[in-house]
Amino acid sequence: MKQKEFTSRLIHVVGEEGVILNPAEQEFYVNDWLGKAHGRTVAVVRPRNTAEVSAVMRLCHQSQTPVVPQGGNTGMSGGATPDMSGAQVVLSLNRMKRIHEVDPVNNTLTADAGVILAEIQQAARAVDRYFPLSLGAEGSCTIGGNLATNAGGTGVLRYGNTRDLTLGLEVVLPDGRIWNGLRGLRKDNTGYDLKDLFIGSEGSLGIITGVVLKLFAAPAGRVSAWVGAKELTSVVTLLNRLQAACGPRLSAFEMMSESSLALVTRHLDGHFSPLNQAYPYYALIELADTNLNGLQEMLQEALTSAIDDGLIDDCVVAMNEAQSVSMWRLREGISMAQVKAGKAVKHDIALPISSLATFVKEADQIVMNGFPDLPIINFGHIGDGNLHYNVLVPLDISPSLYKETTAELNKRIHDLVTQFNGSISAEHGVGTLRRDELKRYKSSVEMDLMNAIKRAIDPNQIMNPGKLL
Ligand code: FAD
Ligand code: MLT
Ligand code: ZN
């Protein structure tokens, strides 16, 4: 099919306003926000509903046109960016924004894949319920993108990843057929769990068009605290103590190294620092409950006893929500501050929590021996074992030296991750960023199984080619 005929058939399906052909207007859709992934596209197509997605996919199936699904384009692994061929279609879900049903009795919310995460959280709050997925990009990422990457964020410690928050899915397959699995059931053992195949598949198997999410009882509020410590191992011990003392009330436990926090104060939020003195490590802790009685005292007591025992060095418990918000702004600012400070060679890794401190000691040694001038930016969701172990390189580094440094750092850090039985991709997805490394760290059996699933569902390989696999 000629390009002209293809684009006019696209317009026939979704209307003039649903197809972007002008390269200047395509700019947002063909580059990622980190400035690392760039591409070109034959057209950006923005369907309004599942039937239109299905018709677009039938057309792409017929014409063997590759498709790159895109949500909010906030991903970190280049998964939503087309390649440079100009032959791929970007299928954006950003006009599929309807919340279809919020059911406070079944504790479920049914929505289109293009709904922004913050709007889902808001819709849950409106019926006095809680949707716990929370991440720095929540004002612009979509629930479809969260599902496709199985996003994590700060609530995983208590509520799990996006996968754990999902009951049902609707997916348009590469040939245009619609699988309607929009069921709000907590038990359904009628064969393979198909939704789990599509969650975390990064657009490589089909277009997620709808979702049924789990809702939870709304916490009456939260209590946050900021802790300073000399050693990472003390921070991990504190995590275990709080888990024992506070049980499920412990809703977040984030770690930041001094250098990560310094980036935020230097580049974004120069005025606020919760403690009077600097420490090598900080933790941001949150307790939440449906009953706030005694929550602040519980946290204060646990932290005071940790100070008395010499485990941590200092702490401050937020006295009100405004202070909590200021603390969280520091934590959530690290991603953006990194972008301003340099080019980050990112390592989004998961480790057994018991190995975190030893891993960091060994990884720090590797970086300091091989790259003594490069600052280590180490922070993350250590309550669930997820570190963002990043290394900053200067903005003006030459492209060839950047490539060489990245390859060497990735190999050394990821080899160490594997020695500790960890994962080289915890929450950001594989995309193009980790695709080639995956073969080094996954067994041939795992790779064979993944390739077999890909061939079975997408035999013509039109779904997000070159990503993940
Ligand atoms: P996109 O970036 O558009 O796409 C991501 C991938 O999903 C691509 O492979 C794309 O092809 C595919 N995809 C998107 N929509 C669909 C669909 N409907 N059907 C099929 N495939 C689809 N991530 C975390 O996990 N935890 C964090 O703490 C976190 N913090 C962040 C902080 C900031 C400031 C930023 C900018 C990003 C952060 N991220 C984090 C990364 C990012 O926000 C998540 O990966 C998010 O889930 C991506 O959603 P999106 O809608 O932007 O997806
Ligand atoms: C975060 O947790 O802030 C992001 O996932 C990490 C990053 O930007 O590397
Ligand atoms: Zn993260």
Side-chain angles (χ1 to χ4, degrees):
M1 196 182 296
K2 293 250 167 52
Q3 186 169 324
K4 201 143 189 350
E5 187 193 344
F6 177 73
T7 50
S8 67
R9 286 178 66 178
L10 277 182
I11 290 169
H12 180 72
V13 171
V14 296
E16 291 266 2
E17 67 291 356
V19 180
I20 304 175
L21 298 172
N22 176 347
E25 290 167 33
Q26 291 172 346
E27 208 48 21
F28 168 82
Y29 299 90
V30 296
N31 298 293
D32 76 343
W33 71 279
L34 288 164
K36 287 183 177 170
H38 308 282
R40 296 193 309 127
T41 180
V42 56
V44 177
V45 57
R46 300 162 64 225
R48 282 163 295 202
N49 52 49
T50 303
E52 287 188 2
V53 175
S54 164
V56 170
M57 286 312 301
R58 272 201 308 275
L59 180 57
C60 293
H61 173 68
Q62 250 175 38
S63 57
Q64 302 273 301
T65 306
V67 178
V68 180
Q70 190 177 98
N73 201 11
T74 69
M76 304 245 190
S77 309
T81 310
D83 67 13
M84 288 304 289
S85 68
Q88 303 185 331
V89 162
V90 174
L91 193 158
S92 167
L93 281 291
N94 67 7
R95 290 207 300 170
M96 288 187 55
K97 297 178 69 66
R98 278 199 308 152
I99 294 180
H100 295 270
E101 187 188 26
V102 188
D103 181 345
V105 176
N106 197 39
N107 278 308
T108 47
L109 182 153
T110 307
D112 284 349
V115 178
I116 301 289
L117 173 56
E119 289 165 9
I120 303 250
Q121 296 166 342
Q122 179 53 40
R125 267 196 300 274
V127 295
D128 197 25
R129 294 291 182 272
Y130 182 57
F131 183 64
L133 183 64
S134 174
L135 42 114
E138 62 198 25
S140 35
C141 63
T142 62
I143 192 66
N146 301 147
L147 284 154
T149 56
N150 188 24
T154 54
V156 175
L157 165 67
R158 174 153 167 195
Y159 296 98
N161 295 288
T162 308
R163 185 186 300 284
D164 305 294
L165 306 174
T166 306
L167 292 174
L169 276 193
E170 180 186 73
V171 178
V172 174
L173 299 176
D175 60 10
R177 282 179 300 158
I178 300 168
W179 169 53
N180 184 338
L182 288 174
R183 289 181 285 268
L185 304 175
R186 273 130 186 118
K187 285 186 175 171
D188 179 13
N189 282 318
T190 48
Y192 301 137
D193 195 334
L194 297 177
K195 74 177 175 347
D196 271 347
L197 268 184
F198 293 98
I199 299 172
S201 67
E202 300 184 42
S204 66
L205 298 178
I207 313 280
I208 298 170
T209 47
V211 59
V212 183
L213 298 165
K214 286 183 197 168
L215 300 181
F216 297 83
R222 61 177 175 178
V223 181
S224 311
W226 190 275
V227 165
K230 290 195 191 70
E231 305 280 346
L232 182 55
T233 178
S234 312
V235 179
V236 174
T237 307
L238 180 66
L239 164 69
N240 289 147
R241 277 196 183 197
L242 289 174
Q243 282 173 317
C246 312
R249 293 180 196 87
L250 182 64
S251 51
F253 195 104
E254 297 286 309
M255 178 279 284
M256 289 142 284
S257 64
E258 185 184 3
S259 55
S260 345
L261 190 66
L263 281 189
V264 183
T265 43
R266 195 172 319 135
H267 295 283
L268 297 179
D269 214 332
H271 307 297
F272 179 66
S273 175
L275 302 176
N276 295 326
Q277 207 187 309
Y279 293 95
Y281 290 99
Y282 301 100
L284 174 54
I285 297 156
E286 185 182 275
L287 300 193
D289 201 349
T290 49
N291 182 349
L292 280 182
N293 276 347
L295 209 60
Q296 198 167 24
E297 293 74 13
M298 178 184 276
L299 186 53
Q300 187 70 64
E301 203 175 295
L303 295 177
T304 307
S305 98
I307 291 184
D308 291 345
D309 296 347
L311 186 65
I312 57 171
D313 294 275
D314 201 357
C315 75
V316 55
V317 176
M319 295 314 290
N320 49 46
E321 179 58 18
Q323 284 183 5
S324 279
V325 169
S326 306
M327 290 177 179
W328 276 101
R329 206 173 50 232
L330 289 178
R331 163 61 187 90
E332 301 288 15
I334 300 175
S335 277
M336 287 302 173
Q338 272 181 144
V339 175
K340 289 185 190 280
K343 284 188 173 174
V345 181
K346 285 174 178 264
H347 304 104
D348 165 37
I349 58 186
L351 293 151
I353 293 168
S354 42
S355 305
L356 283 172
T358 322
F359 169 86
V360 168
K361 265 208 174 86
E362 293 188 23
D364 284 355
Q365 211 51 59
I366 287 174
V367 179
M368 285 184 305
N369 290 344
F371 308 87
D373 300 329
L374 301 185
I376 299 165
I377 308 300
N378 177 18
F379 64 102
H381 321 286
I382 68 160
D384 61 61
N386 179 187
L387 283 183
H388 297 304
Y389 190 89
N390 301 338
V391 181
L392 268 193
V393 294
L395 278 167
D396 59 0
I397 190 172
S398 74
S400 60
L401 187 58
Y402 178 59
K403 204 170 160 199
E404 203 182 296
T405 309
T406 303
E408 196 51 41
L409 271 168
N410 286 350
K411 183 169 171 298
R412 295 196 203 176
I413 300 296
H414 288 156
D415 280 1
L416 186 66
V417 168
T418 307
Q419 281 172 36
F420 279 86
N421 258 326
S423 165
I424 65 159
S425 179
E427 60 169 10
H428 294 162
V430 172
T432 47
L433 186 73
R434 301 271 168 257
R435 181 198 56 210
D436 298 335
E437 286 177 87
L438 207 60
K439 298 178 197 96
R440 180 176 169 87
Y441 299 106
K442 269 200 178 292
S443 72
S444 58
V445 175
E446 274 178 301
M447 291 307 295
D448 281 355
L449 285 170
M450 295 218 298
N451 281 310
I453 291 166
K454 170 77 175 170
R455 279 194 303 274
I457 297 178
D458 181 24
N460 297 329
Q461 311 267 334
I462 62 165
M463 287 310 310
N464 219 359
K467 314 292 168 45
L468 179 60
L469 292 169

